[in-house]
């Protein structure tokens, strides 16, 4: 079986759901259930004996030791993290704790576990660390996309804490020979994305008749990848990646934020026209920029294509349409995750931007 951390979050849950659609290999899903973790996302797996959910914190060494001893996984796929840049600006401590200390604790537990394995179990064991392109910093308009050898230059507490975790993972390969793999991926979008991030936030606000808050001039560029494509890339790297290697994952889909919001508004205009008429574009509002806002991210994903034959299956147009359709069909999920604490976050993050 495999052990997943953070499998109640956006990408982890998509990964677990996709994994069990394509395989009968059981999954132990370890998640602390922070505000970003939602068991409703895993409801399709209720009663499925292939999925075991365990609520635990990756910073808890003895819990990690017991889980590894009990389930004896052949691989760990590590998604658990604090993942939102704006939250890292308001409260960086949780990011250092989970992303750096948590990854370190998990690595230590994994190292002790792996050291006791023998033969093919030891040979075949993998620790797959899921990371972000944000560790490489910000690109200028004409700069070449990030490759696996681009020097790290993280700019936010989020990316700095992810960079720290990447360095620890790298060190465990070089120092202890631990069989690690790292993937650095661009911005994901798709079903079950928590509506604090750009795409689901814009869909939720548009439908609620609220302003669509675009930071700064709206010209910051991100590379966007459909979450199912990211999950497929992780499966491929886990299956055939070379230990100790890093693979960049991206969609060849650079868009500035305004383009993304315009495309979303146009899709919604078609799929769910506004009752009062007019376009959702009328709800766009420019607000105060994010401090230290990285201007551009772009990923060169050729290594993954060349060495492991992975390419994204979705285009931005097909992926975004699927995503909007999913949100329209799953308003209950959105209502569920945006109750309570979410409202406080909206006040904290957007209150001061007007
Ligand atoms: P998310 O915030 O939606 O989910 C994170 C999950 O981790 C939640 O279920 C949360 O409960 C859990 N978690 C947090 N702290 C924990 C702890 N201490 N112990 C156990 N569980 C804990 O994040 P996501 O968007 O699904 O991202 C998953 C991973 O992918 C992260 O490592 C992130 O850095 C990376 N990543 C994300 C993107 C993106 O666009 N979302 C892109 C590239 C890489
Ligand atoms: P986000 O989804 O937070 O991802 P990241 O910062 O990790 O790339 O933001 C994507 C882009 O959208 C980023 O340039 C910030 C911008 N943005 C807005 O303009 N308005 C918003 O309300 C949010 C959440 C993000």
């Amino acid at each position: 079986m495999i052990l997943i951390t953070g499998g109640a979050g956006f990408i982890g849950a998509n990964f677990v759901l996709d994994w069990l659609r394509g395989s009968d290999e059981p999954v132990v899903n370890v998640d602390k259930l922070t505000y970003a973790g939602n068991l409703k996302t895993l409801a399709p797996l209720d009663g499925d004996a292939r999925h075991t959910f365990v609520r635990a914190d990756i910073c808890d060494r003895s819990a990690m030791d017991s889980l590894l001893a009990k389930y004896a996984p052949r691989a760990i796929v590590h998604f658990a993290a604090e993942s939102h840049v704006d939250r890292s600006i308001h409260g960086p401590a949780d990011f250092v704790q989970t992303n750096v200390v948590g990854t370190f604790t998990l690595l230590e537990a994994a190292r002790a576990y792996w050291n006791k394995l023998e033969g093919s179990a030891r040979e075949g064991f993998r620790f797959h660390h899921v990371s972000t392109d944000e560790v490489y910093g910000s690109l200028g308009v004409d700069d070449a996309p990030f490759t696996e050898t681009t020097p790290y230059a993280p700019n936010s507490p989020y990316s700095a804490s992810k960079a720290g975790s990447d360095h620890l993972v790298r060190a465990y390969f070089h120092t202890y020979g631990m069989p690690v793999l790292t993937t650095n991926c661009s911005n994901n979008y798709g079903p079950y994305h928590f509506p604090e991030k750009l795409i689901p936030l814009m869909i939720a606000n548009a439908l609620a008749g609220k302003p669509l808050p675009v930071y700064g001039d709206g010209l910051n560029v991100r590379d966007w990848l459909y979450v199912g494509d990211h999950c497929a890339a992780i499966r491929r790297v886990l299956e055939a990646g070379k230990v100790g290697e890093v693979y960049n994952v991206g969609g060849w889909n650079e868009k500035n934020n305004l383009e993304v919001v315009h495309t979303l508004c146009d899709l919604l205009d078609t799929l769910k026209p506004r009752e009062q008429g007019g376009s959702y574009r009328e709800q766009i509002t420019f607000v105060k920029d994010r401090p230290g806002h990285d201007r551009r991210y772009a990923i060169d994903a050729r290594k993954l294509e060349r060495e492991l034959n992975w390419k994204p299956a979705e285009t931005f147009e097909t992926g975004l349409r699927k995503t909007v359709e999913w949100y329209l069909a799953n308003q209950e999920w959105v209502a569920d995750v945006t109750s309570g604490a979410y409202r406080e976050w909206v006040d904290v993050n957007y209150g001061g931007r007007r």
Side-chain angles (χ1 to χ4, degrees), residues 83-86 132-134 158 187-188 193 195-202 205 212-216 218-222 224 257-258 261 287 289-290 293-295 297 345 349-350 353:
S83 70
H84 188 31
V85 173
D86 290 320
T132 165
D133 62 354
E134 303 194 22
Y158 164 64
N187 284 53
N188 284 213
H193 203 181
E196 64 183 356
K197 305 279 170 69
L198 178 73
I199 289 179
L201 179 106
M202 292 297 171
N205 280 18
L212 307 181
V214 173
Y215 296 168
L219 299 181
N220 301 67
V221 173
R222 299 291 182 262
W224 292 97
N257 295 335
L258 213 46
V261 177
V287 298
D289 209 351
R290 169 189 283 173
H293 196 176
D294 283 341
R295 193 62 172 170
Y297 304 140
W345 165 248
N349 193 43
Y350 297 97
R353 288 188 196 272

Side-chain angles (χ1 to χ4, degrees), residues 5-13 30-38 56-59 64 78-84 94 97-99 102 129-134 158 162 183-189 192-194 196-197 224 230:
T5 70
F10 165 48
I11 307 174
V30 182
D31 196 295
K32 182 181 172 182
L33 295 180
T34 66
Y35 78 92
N38 185 5
D57 188 331
I58 56 165
C59 300
M64 295 305 111
H78 175 36
F79 294 93
E82 288 293 336
S83 70
H84 188 31
D94 285 350
Q97 184 61 24
T98 284
N99 301 357
H129 177 58
V130 179
S131 194
T132 165
D133 62 354
E134 303 194 22
Y158 164 64
K162 289 298 290 187
T183 42
N184 290 86
C185 187
S186 57
N187 284 53
N188 284 213
Y189 65 96
Y192 304 112
H193 203 181
F194 194 74
E196 64 183 356
K197 305 279 170 69
W224 292 97
H230 186 192

